[in-house]
Amino acid sequence: SLDYSLRRLSHEQRALLPLLAPFEGGTSEDDLLAITELPEATWQPLRAALERAALLSVESIGFDPPYLRFHPILAPALRARHGEPAELLDRYAASYATLANWLYLEDNRNPMAVRALVQRELPNLRRALGLRERQQAHEQVVVMADRIAMFLNYFGLGRELARLRAVQAAAAAQVQAAGGLSHAAYLQASGAGEDAYNRGDLPRAYQLFSQLHEHIRQQPAGAARGPGSYEESLTLMRLARCLRFGGQPAAAEQHLRAALALVEALITQAPEQQGYTRQRGALLTDLGDLLVDQGRYAAAREAYEAGLVVKQQIQDERGQGVALGQLGTLALRQRNYSEATRRYEEALTLFRRLDEPSAEATLYHQLGIVAEAQRNWTAAEGYYRESLTIEERHGNQAGAATTCNQLAIVAVGAGRPAEAEGWYRRALALDEQVQPDSALHASHLNNLANLLATEIRAGRMAATRLSEAQGYAARALAIREQLDASSEIWMTLNILADLADLAGDAAAVAAYRRRERETFAQFDGNRYHIDQPFGELIQAIVAAAQGAGAARVGVEERLPQLEAKGWLIAEAVRRIWAGERAWHGLCEGLDSQDALLVLRVLEEVGDEG
């Protein structure tokens, strides 16, 4: 019992115990000494006695001094017997407010140890925040809540995060700024936008960040959170992220380059501010993402590698993990599957140590995509199920929808179409809840329409479902028409053409095919995948068109090999040599890739029709 354990302490030691009453579960030794104001010479014998009485244990988690874990009943019993002096509680609340800020900043340098400590100190951080709230220290409540919120998001504690934001909003409403944007108001508005973004509600996040940016721009020149400030750079970066995941990378790039210009100007003014350098590294990684989305792969690698160098310089482990993951995505886009797997696994190992479930889910998902690209259905399904388990556990409905979509694709590949339809419908149900009319919603609609078209054509599904499939594809097209070239609108047009063919509407088929070829050719990423393997061939065809006989002989030798591999361009090439230049006329019956190869020839010839 507690009384038996306490009898093992001296009378003088028992008299000091009420100083330990505020702590929830334990505390770091340096915080204990600061809050209790116990001299080291008095504390060390008491600590040893508490350890002998099994009332305290010492944990090493990567920091010195260590974390001290109390017996679960020690602090509650001390409070019940002795109460808590107001001065002691005030020192406790002030100390933990300072600790919350230190943990927030230190997380960039030493995330593994910080997060291990935060998991232990969360009860104290919660209690200290509650004390500051009751003391009506509104500005400190806003700042402290912002710091704690970052860790709640990392740990996937969504319900607690929502409660914390409500406390923060109430406190921010009490803070008045004399003619400007207060720090409290900025943190509250920014935090609300971040939460919407993290739960996949991009329209709401974009609205909140747009409102915040407008507020920043309305501040006078030179204001702490006005035009040209670090806060403006952050807000532009967040707007860019919303636009990117909303399927508008070109618009996102404008915001991102503006944010980069702002932070580079700040670095010039104050090069000693490491926070500005860290922001530049994050912006370079985001820029790489946007360049990948637009098919500008060489420029993307430059941006990623520059960002990785910055993060290594400032020892930002989490940032390094992000950069490794993005280099994996770039390798995946370039179909370098071994590099993609290696990069993703390196990042997964790092984020697993950091205890970030959302990042782990994303990386499992990406490993699934790599396996899927290689038609390794068993491995892909395993990775996707790992991802879905984490996403559902932490309430990430947008992420769960995307993973359900991928599980459907795997089921199709493995020959289980009925199971695939179930996964697609599950994805669409989640889309309607959290991301209706988004780029991802369009993709999922597109995929279900394609599945139905395939099954109808194969005779495994009733033709009466044709109109249902057309409805899904039409809605996907309506969404994608509002986005830019990277939304893969050509895929929806391809499906609509297939469905029109099943319905016997030849005119609609021709119209959809024409638009499909045009939109496919507009995207730089598709051009990359033609120019990389076929650049030499294109130049040889052009040379032959300009009268080089040897080039023509070489191309004629290659054409049968290409046809055997599915590149059905022989007839179009010979018609180009005969003088034809009308691209659409040359490409009737060809798929989008073949048509783009023909277009690249015409562009190089210089007079395509």
Side-chain angles (χ1 to χ4, degrees):
S1 72
L2 178 63
D3 287 335
Y4 174 79
S5 298
L6 292 177
R7 284 197 294 272
R8 301 176 64 182
L9 277 62
S10 69
H11 175 75
E12 292 78 10
Q13 289 169 338
R14 288 197 296 274
L16 296 172
L17 288 181
L19 292 171
L20 307 182
F23 300 103
E24 294 281 0
T27 184
S28 294
E29 191 167 43
D30 53 345
D31 291 319
L32 181 145
L33 293 173
I35 292 165
T36 62
E37 297 183 339
L38 282 169
E40 185 84 22
T42 303
W43 164 246
Q44 289 302 328
L46 175 57
R47 170 182 151 173
L50 289 168
E51 286 186 75
R52 288 194 298 272
L55 294 173
L56 179 151
S57 59
V58 180
E59 295 182 6
S60 178
I61 54 173
F63 285 118
D64 187 25
Y67 179 79
L68 307 176
R69 185 176 294 281
F70 296 162
H71 190 285
I73 66 171
L74 178 61
L78 292 173
R79 288 177 207 161
R81 295 179 185 186
H82 305 287
E84 298 170 280
E87 288 184 7
L88 178 64
L89 282 179
D90 192 57
R91 289 198 301 272
Y92 170 86
S95 181
Y96 272 96
T98 300
L99 178 65
N101 197 57
W102 181 84
L103 291 167
Y104 177 87
L105 297 173
E106 184 67 15
D107 184 71
N108 286 309
R109 294 184 288 270
N110 191 11
M112 286 179 282
V114 164
R115 291 172 198 187
L117 180 58
V118 171
Q119 287 177 326
R120 290 162 175 78
E121 291 281 24
L122 264 178
N124 284 315
L125 291 166
R126 292 183 189 108
R127 185 166 197 235
L129 180 67
L131 289 170
R132 281 302 190 227
E133 186 184 7
R134 288 193 289 277
Q135 293 164 354
Q136 297 187 356
H138 301 304
E139 189 148 7
Q140 196 169 80
V141 167
V142 173
V143 175
M144 193 174 178
D146 182 74
R147 293 354 186 189
I148 296 171
M150 182 179 78
F151 295 105
L152 297 181
N153 181 58
Y154 287 159
F155 299 151
L157 301 176
R159 292 186 180 87
E160 183 174 351
L161 177 61
R163 292 194 295 270
L164 180 73
R165 290 300 192 192
V167 169
Q168 184 188 41
Q174 300 300 316
V175 178
Q176 300 297 319
L181 176 62
S182 72
H183 188 217
Y186 167 78
L187 288 179
Q188 192 277 322
S190 180
E194 281 288 283
D195 291 346
Y197 176 84
N198 288 328
R199 66 175 179 264
D201 189 350
L202 296 179
R204 178 61 175 160
Y206 183 81
Q207 177 190 33
L208 291 168
F209 288 134
S210 294
Q211 291 170 352
L212 177 58
H213 187 234
E214 181 62 25
H215 201 171
I216 289 169
R217 297 299 301 171
Q218 289 171 356
Q219 303 309 302
R225 284 162 290 279
S229 65
Y230 178 69
E231 288 81 0
E232 185 181 13
S233 178
L234 280 173
T235 305
L236 284 167
M237 180 180 74
R238 288 160 176 162
L239 281 166
R241 288 176 175 175
C242 292
L243 287 165
R244 181 207 167 204
F245 287 107
Q248 300 181 63
E253 186 178 349
Q254 294 178 0
H255 285 76
L256 193 55
R257 290 195 182 278
L260 194 56
L262 286 177
V263 83
E264 286 174 346
L266 291 169
I267 290 170
T268 301
Q269 296 165 18
E272 74 284 356
Q273 289 290 338
Q274 195 176 76
Y276 298 159
T277 303
R278 179 174 292 107
Q279 169 72 348
R280 179 173 178 268
L283 287 165
L284 286 166
T285 297
D286 280 14
L287 178 59
D289 294 342
L290 291 170
L291 294 169
V292 167
D293 288 345
Q294 296 174 78
R296 294 153 63 189
Y297 299 137
R301 182 174 291 276
E302 264 184 54
Y304 284 144
E305 290 178 346
L308 183 57
V309 168
V310 171
K311 290 160 188 174
Q312 288 168 339
Q313 288 172 346
I314 62 175
Q315 299 181 333
D316 178 0
E317 288 193 76
R318 185 176 188 277
Q320 290 174 49
V322 171
L324 286 168
Q326 300 312 85
L327 282 166
T329 298
L330 177 58
L332 175 61
R333 290 288 188 101
Q334 295 178 297
R335 300 170 188 169
N336 185 342
Y337 300 127
S338 59
E339 182 186 349
T341 299
R342 175 172 60 84
R343 295 290 195 178
Y344 285 142
E345 287 178 344
E346 288 172 353
L348 180 61
T349 299
L350 193 152
F351 279 114
R352 193 180 289 123
R353 291 203 311 269
L354 296 180
D355 191 24
E356 283 199 36
S358 61
E360 288 180 54
T362 297
L363 288 162
Y364 275 123
H365 183 96
Q366 292 304 111
L367 283 164
I369 289 176
V370 176
E372 178 190 316
Q374 299 172 88
R375 303 181 68 81
N376 186 343
W377 308 122
T378 301
E381 182 173 359
Y383 285 132
Y384 288 141
R385 286 187 180 274
E386 286 280 359
S387 179
L388 184 61
T389 297
I390 296 170
E391 287 158 346
E392 291 182 331
R393 183 186 306 139
H394 296 286
N396 181 8
Q397 291 178 298
T402 302
T403 303
C404 287
N405 176 76
Q406 296 306 127
L407 281 163
I409 292 171
V410 168
V412 170
R416 306 192 301 268
E419 179 186 331
E421 183 177 348
W423 284 117
Y424 282 137
R425 292 192 180 282
R426 185 168 167 186
L428 290 172
L430 289 167
D431 288 337
E432 294 289 358
Q433 294 177 42
V434 296
Q435 53 188 11
D437 298 329
S438 64
L440 285 171
H441 190 192
S443 178
H444 302 162
L445 287 161
N446 196 78
N447 291 347
L448 179 54
N450 187 49
L451 174 68
L452 298 182
T454 300
E455 294 302 295
I456 292 168
R457 187 176 294 280
R460 292 186 294 267
M461 186 175 288
T464 53
R465 297 193 68 184
L466 182 60
S467 61
E468 178 188 349
Q470 289 172 321
Y472 295 134
R475 186 172 178 192
L477 181 64
I479 295 170
R480 284 179 161 169
E481 284 176 330
Q482 305 305 311
L483 308 176
D484 64 18
S486 71
S487 69
E488 299 183 334
I489 191 172
W490 57 85
M491 296 181 69
T492 305
L493 292 163
N494 175 270
I495 292 166
L496 283 163
D498 285 345
L499 292 167
D501 184 51
L502 287 170
D505 188 344
V509 172
Y512 284 133
R513 292 293 180 213
R514 185 184 182 99
R515 283 192 65 196
E516 177 192 350
R517 289 192 293 270
E518 291 171 345
T519 54
F520 186 85
Q522 287 169 5
F523 183 50
D524 287 340
N526 295 331
R527 289 171 170 263
Y528 172 91
H529 288 303
I530 294 298
D531 289 347
Q532 284 298 107
F534 298 117
E536 207 174 294
L537 174 67
I538 290 167
Q539 292 307 315
I541 296 171
V542 171
Q546 294 168 344
R552 179 161 182 163
V553 170
V555 173
E556 287 284 11
E557 289 176 354
R558 286 195 63 186
L559 286 175
Q561 300 167 19
L562 291 165
E563 294 266 328
K565 293 178 180 178
W567 292 90
L568 308 180
I569 62 169
E571 181 186 346
V573 167
R574 294 184 182 114
R575 287 165 63 187
I576 290 171
W577 288 339
E580 288 192 47
R581 295 294 185 265
W583 178 46
H584 287 297
L586 286 164
C587 294
E588 288 296 334
L590 298 186
D591 67 19
S592 295
Q593 293 189 89
D594 292 344
L596 180 52
L597 200 161
V598 171
L599 177 62
R600 290 293 298 115
V601 171
L602 293 172
E603 289 173 343
E604 293 297 316
V605 168
D607 57 347
E608 69 273 14

